[in-house]
Amino acid sequence: MAYDDVRDWIATLERAGELKRIRAEVDPILEIAEITDRVSKGNYRNSEGRKARATLSGPGPALLFQNVKGHPGSQVLINQFGSSRRMNLALEVDSLDEVAERIRSFMDVKSPQGFLDKVKMLPMLAEMGKFFPKTVSTGPCKEVIKRDNFSLLDFPILQCWPKDAGCFITLPCVITRDPKTGKRNVGMYRMQIYDERTTGMHWQRQKVGAEHYREALRAAAAGNPARSSTAVDIMARTSGGSVLADAGQPGGKMEVAVAIGTDPALTFAAIVPAPPDVEEYLIAGFLRQKPVELVKCETVDLEVPASAEIVLEGHVHLDELRTEGPFGDHTGFYSLEDQYPVFHVSCITHRKNPIYATTIVGKPPMEDGWMGKAVERIFLPLMKLTIPEIVDINLPVEGIFHNLMIVAMKKSYPGQARKVMNAIWSLGQAMFTKCIIVVDEDVNVQDIAEVTLKALNHIDPERDIQFTLGPVDSLDHASRLPNYGSKMGIDATRKWASEGFTRPWPDEILMDEKTKALVDRKWKELGIE
Ligand SMILES: Cc1cc2nc3c(=O)[nH]c(=O)nc-3n(C[C@H](O)[C@H](O)[C@H](O)COP(=O)(O)O)c2cc1C
Ligand SMILES: [Mn+2]
């Protein structure tokens, strides 16, 4: 029935036995992260480092810290999405396949033939009407409005890992507007706290927030040749280089709003790799089957979720970049420092006694791994729309989303596995996939043991590995250049004569049904168990 806000969601988690309130005093500097890391891995007494995954007891509950050192009265919510059950609860389904099925049912719509067909479509159209966001006059996020006399340091923002450059807001919904189309985007981009009113804005260059920033740069440069060349340069270098500033050009500003502590459907929508022109507010509406209610910001021309716990309003200057990072990232390594835009906060609005929602990333499995798995399940039908031969995919959590995708496909013509790889590399954020393993449809990609056995048996590496060059994830620390490097696809499908393979192909060893039934019947008598 759609969660109204994060408080409604917390109440549900608590009723489901999925939330622990922590009343002991804890430090937002490192201590909350260490507690959360153990809980997310089910590794409660981890004093001597990392244990084999098999020995872990599985993910623990969401945590609500109610006594945060230096922040009396504050509460910190963390690990809200950190298990498959909580991910299902967040999207109000028993299985993520239900969401995939709803997407499929909308994509199946054929153009109506006659009157009856049109009538049959009405419920679906009515349903779609529920997805669009609704602007309301005010909401709980306006309970406290601070245009001056505010400080980001008042919030219990975590330092997650020892070598982090400082404290980071890790679960923000960053809202920007495309200067050309007016469409809004909500993306989750971490924000390093520089001081009371300034943060980093870590939108990686291929993300939609970064594109809005470049559009603003293009607009600022339009008609001004001096600016135009510097804008192109800054685009080529962003997130690097303060070229407009170097050239002595007073830059413009871009409006940004940030919502922290939103209902779970919206928080999740902010990480979903949606097509750039699809507003995440609409996606959240689809997921919760109820419109997201929005209110206008006080100082910028943007709308934010009315029930958000905390809203930051402000600007990113077009001529300013600053060192961001290092930050202990979801790769299991620190992402190194780099140049990113700077967010200047001009107004904060929040609920009374706001709940600060956050997460930590680090070595998997962690909370974001469960969010990634949900993306994998929900996006499969959309992938199949453009790559219909795909049967199933698996992004193992240790592959941290972008390093490894295992794909099962139905092969119908020679070379098709390579076509699938190229299609994946051209599909939105799947472009970052460093290694794609393509197997035949009879391989269960969710079973890594089966994939290892079959994929490695079936390849002649020199023949079956396809290298390509292109954009890579900003977090890749091994690529030859930041953001640019190579990717690899392994065609582990059975090779055909039409692909130049003329040797006989052996059968897989499988016992016949008759013998299996015989042993089933005799099993007890054998006395082995
Ligand atoms: C916890 C968490 C933190 C993230 N931090 C960042 C980040 O700092 N920068 C970034 O570009 N993407 C980050 N992402 C991934 C983006 O949110 C994701 O790519 C999203 O699809 C971007 O939205 P967009 O397509 O509207 O740009 C993060 C994801 C999660 C789950
Ligand atoms: Mn987006």
Side-chain angles (χ1 to χ4, degrees), residues 179-180 213-224 227 231 235 318:
K180 265 168 96 176
Y213 172 75
R214 286 188 294 263
E215 282 297 348
L217 267 172
R218 287 182 188 111
N224 181 336
R227 272 213 184 170
M235 280 177 237
L318 297 181

Side-chain angles (χ1 to χ4, degrees), residues 73-103:
S74 288
Q75 302 190 73
V76 173
L77 173 69
I78 197 163
N79 208 24
Q80 58 177 302
F81 297 108
S83 74
S84 112
R85 176 159 188 243
R86 288 205 290 287
M87 205 55 245
N88 288 347
L89 276 173
L91 303 180
E92 301 169 274
V93 292
D94 293 322
S95 148
L96 294 168
D97 294 338
E98 288 174 35
V99 183
E101 193 47 54
R102 282 183 53 222
I103 295 175

